[in-house]
Amino acid sequence: MNDKSLMKQELGSIMGKYSAKTYKSRKGHVLVVDADEAPQEIVADCRTIPGIITERGCCYAGCKGVVVGPLKDTVALTHGPIGCGYYSWLTRRNKARKNEGDNYNFLAYCFSTDMQESDIVFGGEKKLKEAISEIVKIFKPKSIMICSTCPVGLIGDDVHSVAKWAEKEFGVQTIAYSCEGYKGVSQSAGHHIANNGLYKNIIGTGNAPKKEYSINLLGEYNIGGDGWEIERLLKTIGYHIISIMSGDGSVERLRNAHKADLNLVQCHRSTNYNAELLRQKYGTDWVKVNFLGIRSTIKSLRDIALYFEDPKLIAKTESLIAEELAAVEPEIEKYKDICKGKTVALFVGGSRANYFQGLFQEIGMETVLAGFEFAHRDDYEGREVIPSIKENADNKNIENLVEQPDEKLYRITLSKEKFEELSKVMELNYFKGMIKTMDDGSFVVDDINHYEMEAFMKLLKPDLFGSGIKEKYVIHKMGVLSKQIHSYDYSGPFAGFRGAVIFARDVAMGLTAPVWKLIKPKWKTEAMIQGGYVQEVS
Ligand code: CFM
């Protein structure tokens, strides 16, 4: 654990390099965790300072790339230049298998209108209609989702009226998303837009018969196969998974999501919208789970069984935990010997810099810095701050749905007493955020930039930096192992018990790679060049 007063001084000198204006904008985004100052407040979900290279993605990435894109039985059509569709095509490694009984998995295709200059000048609606006609003819999908990129909004193509036209013309449900890249301040806006679209048009439209112990797994995207591993555990215990939103996801299954007895929320940032709407309309409770890390997996499985209060589920949960633990514990131990005592800095999207900390801890590694690209204050501080979050021009731009209880379908599952009792031991319709879980003296940084990243690397000298492709090679050039927490560096799954072993193996392998002996960053051996400003006198 780092000394918190010393870290506060160091933070002062890092931020002190900024101009007064930049300092004013950035100072609220960075803090040193100090339980004596709790509750600590952070500035988040606001615009990056122009000129600073942000690590964030765009609104289109959040809608198409993250939430809508992984749905395998719908055609996600990118209306825009080809690059947007191409770069959001499975680079995130959201795996999918075709549905039982279906003979297609549309994720294998990249659908785009491939807009050209002439479409930007004269309008792209004609091309969009042509693309939809072609899709219907060749692929015969049950639904189509049109995802808008920046130029679509700038030139004013009316994707929603094209969607209506397509439904009438072909009888295929077509949903348009106004998720132009520039909307909002990050991909988080795209999550919200995608949640709204799926909620209004898909969820609640199915009439599959209700099954016992039905759940939805929200905010799990099957990166590297995580979702499959979680599904294996839940099914073994005896739960019926109606839908997963949206890893290996299915629109046809999502239609019945309103029938669940309980929603599990893995990624709070990207799916808290639908979890809340389902609670408001149908009374379905949600519980915050985390299947990354052995202890968190055990806690999540026990919380779910406790919610259902069924002796059979509880017994099966315990026997599964015992079996899985017996298989993985000796494996983990051998990697732990390599990893223990090392430190890690994490900078990932809106959830994982939090959810991976327990997993690192289990292999003996301490998190000295954690931050998010686009999380909101509730992801850092807990949901209790939501009423005090001020709206700004950017988030006002996105529709905020609020539901009323459904007269026929709304039901309260737990008595007030039971709800209060369970709320003491689990995060029920609640998320406590990241800051409260971190040690004093560690740093929390929102929307980090390159200068800060370099400064913190020099200060903290972590043995591993966990982030994504944008940061990876900069960190490697500093002579430090960088591990992709977004796409898992072609590995995975990392979730559950078995996933934890794969993760420990990968980290141990990375730390012991001989290449680190060959790389020494200049700042380790040479004095840094100091710049100055000399006024010429003529
Ligand atoms: Fe949720 Fe995600 Fe994340 Fe996210 Fe993402 Fe991702 Fe992520 Mo990359 S949905 S917020 S927009 S957990 S793609 S699977 S790893 S930034 S921390």
Side-chain angles (χ1 to χ4, degrees):
M1 195 191 294
N2 284 326
D3 178 86
K4 61 185 177 192
S5 2
L6 182 65
M7 289 303 119
K8 283 179 192 170
Q9 268 177 33
E10 295 287 356
L11 178 60
S13 51
I14 290 174
M15 303 306 273
K17 296 263 171 35
Y18 280 135
S19 68
K21 203 175 158 197
T22 310
Y23 174 76
K24 203 171 153 221
S25 306
R26 283 299 301 159
K27 71 175 196 304
H29 291 266
V30 192
L31 59 85
V32 175
V33 176
D34 183 350
D36 295 336
E37 288 176 13
Q40 287 182 288
E41 199 176 311
I42 196 160
V43 177
D45 188 36
C46 56
R47 292 183 188 185
T48 301
I49 302 166
I52 282 186
I53 300 174
T54 171
E55 306 299 305
R56 287 171 162 174
C58 69
C59 177
Y60 160 82
C63 180
K64 195 273 176 182
V66 174
V67 180
V68 171
L71 295 163
K72 60 193 172 183
D73 54 359
T74 189
V75 165
L77 168 62
T78 298
H79 186 32
I82 193 65
C84 305
Y86 185 76
Y87 286 109
S88 59
W89 180 34
L90 291 184
T91 42
R92 180 165 167 254
R93 301 189 65 243
N94 40 267
K95 296 179 169 220
R97 290 188 195 110
K98 64 185 167 69
N99 273 347
E100 228 172 274
D102 282 348
N103 56 1
Y104 52 70
N105 170 5
F106 292 127
L107 261 59
Y109 299 92
C110 174
F111 297 93
S112 169
T113 50
D114 183 21
M115 278 176 115
Q116 302 292 319
E117 270 176 35
S118 59
D119 306 313
I120 308 285
V121 175
F122 300 108
E125 288 177 23
K126 191 168 158 250
K127 204 166 190 189
L128 179 59
K129 286 183 176 175
E130 282 167 8
I132 294 172
S133 312
E134 210 178 316
I135 287 165
V136 172
K137 200 168 139 209
I138 302 172
F139 296 96
K140 300 177 185 59
K142 287 191 187 133
S143 61
I144 297 171
M145 314 255 168
I146 305 167
C147 298
S148 308
T149 59
C150 295
V152 173
L154 294 173
I155 64 172
D157 272 1
D158 188 349
V159 288
H160 301 277
S161 68
V162 174
K164 279 197 192 118
W165 165 85
E167 286 206 359
K168 227 168 132 200
E169 186 78 10
F170 305 111
V172 175
Q173 186 177 22
T174 308
I175 302 161
Y177 298 87
S178 288
C179 56
E180 292 84 356
Y182 56 76
K183 256 199 186 159
V185 299
S186 67
Q187 55 266 63
S188 171
H191 301 151
H192 199 167
I193 292 167
N195 273 245
N196 287 352
L198 293 173
Y199 184 79
K200 287 202 275 192
N201 301 288
I202 302 293
I203 294 173
T205 58
N207 50 17
K210 173 125 183 43
K211 289 193 182 160
E212 214 181 9
Y213 310 127
S214 288
I215 53 174
N216 294 305
L217 178 53
L218 305 178
E220 168 46 54
Y221 298 93
N222 204 25
I223 311 298
D226 272 358
W228 289 331
E229 185 53 16
I230 301 168
E231 220 177 340
R232 181 182 72 80
L233 299 172
L234 294 171
K235 280 185 174 166
T236 310
I237 294 172
Y239 299 106
H240 170 63
I241 303 172
I242 298 181
S243 71
I244 300 185
M245 191 173 141
S246 57
D248 193 20
S250 153
V251 166
E252 298 312 311
R253 286 172 60 179
L254 204 53
R255 292 187 191 282
N256 294 299
H258 62 299
K259 303 236 165 129
D261 300 308
L262 178 68
N263 286 319
L264 313 183
V265 173
Q266 169 72 27
C267 168
H268 173 264
R269 182 64 267 134
S270 62
T271 44
N272 77 95
Y273 313 98
N274 275 349
E276 272 298 290
L277 289 167
L278 286 164
R279 188 181 64 77
Q280 292 161 6
K281 185 166 180 183
Y282 303 101
T284 324
D285 290 319
W286 59 270
V287 61
K288 180 69 193 71
V289 292
N290 179 17
F291 289 102
L292 293 157
I294 291 176
R295 273 174 307 179
S296 325
T297 301
I298 294 175
K299 165 98 173 71
S300 301
L301 293 176
R302 284 186 176 149
D303 285 352
I304 306 164
L306 197 62
Y307 181 89
F308 284 100
E309 235 190 342
D310 178 286
K312 261 193 291 171
L313 287 180
I314 294 173
K316 187 68 201 162
T317 302
E318 291 308 321
S319 65
L320 179 78
I321 291 171
E323 259 170 53
E324 298 279 329
L325 270 182
V328 302
E329 267 178 338
E331 288 285 303
I332 294 258
E333 276 312 307
K334 64 182 187 221
Y335 299 122
K336 203 172 164 183
D337 286 342
I338 298 167
C339 305
K340 69 172 177 250
K342 303 268 195 299
T343 56
V344 56
L346 292 166
F347 189 78
V348 206
S351 292
R352 294 179 170 205
N354 182 0
Y355 306 161
F356 269 79
Q357 289 189 29
L359 186 43
F360 276 109
Q361 211 173 51
E362 281 160 17
I363 53 173
M365 293 176 70
E366 185 197 349
T367 303
V368 290
L369 177 147
F372 296 125
E373 293 171 27
F374 53 79
H376 297 199
R377 277 184 58 204
D378 37 319
D379 303 294
Y380 288 104
E381 301 171 49
R383 281 187 75 88
E384 59 272 28
V385 302
I386 292 178
S388 63
I389 297 177
K390 287 194 197 90
E391 278 208 315
N392 58 35
D394 296 295
N395 47 42
K396 266 193 203 149
N397 215 359
I398 298 154
E399 192 184 10
N400 196 21
L401 297 176
V402 180
E403 268 293 7
Q404 295 305 320
D406 185 290
E407 276 177 23
K408 285 189 195 142
L409 301 171
Y410 188 89
R411 56 186 166 43
I412 294 172
T413 324
L414 301 178
S415 66
K416 199 167 166 268
E417 296 72 40
K418 188 78 202 167
F419 183 86
E420 275 165 16
E421 187 195 319
L422 290 184
S423 297
K424 284 185 195 138
V425 290
M426 66 178 83
E427 290 168 277
L428 196 52
N429 303 336
Y430 173 69
F431 174 47
K432 65 172 177 278
M434 180 170 78
I435 296 176
K436 297 182 194 104
T437 66
M438 290 182 68
D439 284 339
D440 273 16
S442 47
F443 287 90
V444 175
V445 188
D446 176 69
D447 190 19
I448 206 167
N449 56 52
H450 284 185
Y451 159 68
E452 287 167 12
M453 194 167 79
E454 201 174 315
F456 283 116
M457 288 300 289
K458 285 182 202 166
L459 170 68
L460 301 167
K461 300 180 181 57
D463 299 286
L464 189 155
F465 194 95
S467 63
I469 193 72
K470 282 173 273 183
E471 302 86 5
K472 187 177 179 79
Y473 298 102
V474 179
I475 302 295
H476 277 181
K477 284 174 189 169
M478 292 177 182
V480 175
L481 169 63
S482 169
K483 180 146 191 54
Q484 292 198 71
I485 303 296
H486 300 251
S487 72
Y488 295 176
D489 285 310
Y490 326 107
S491 184
F494 293 157
F497 301 89
R498 295 181 189 175
V501 178
I502 300 173
F503 182 78
R505 180 203 66 192
D506 286 7
V507 171
M509 204 159 62
L511 289 171
T512 48
V515 70
W516 307 121
K517 293 192 193 107
L518 307 173
I519 310 169
K520 263 220 172 68
K522 278 195 180 161
W523 51 265
K524 271 194 183 166
T525 49
E526 291 172 22
M528 300 298 289
I529 299 166
Q530 296 288 324
Y533 175 70
V534 181
Q535 197 171 10
E536 274 187 26
V537 184
S538 56

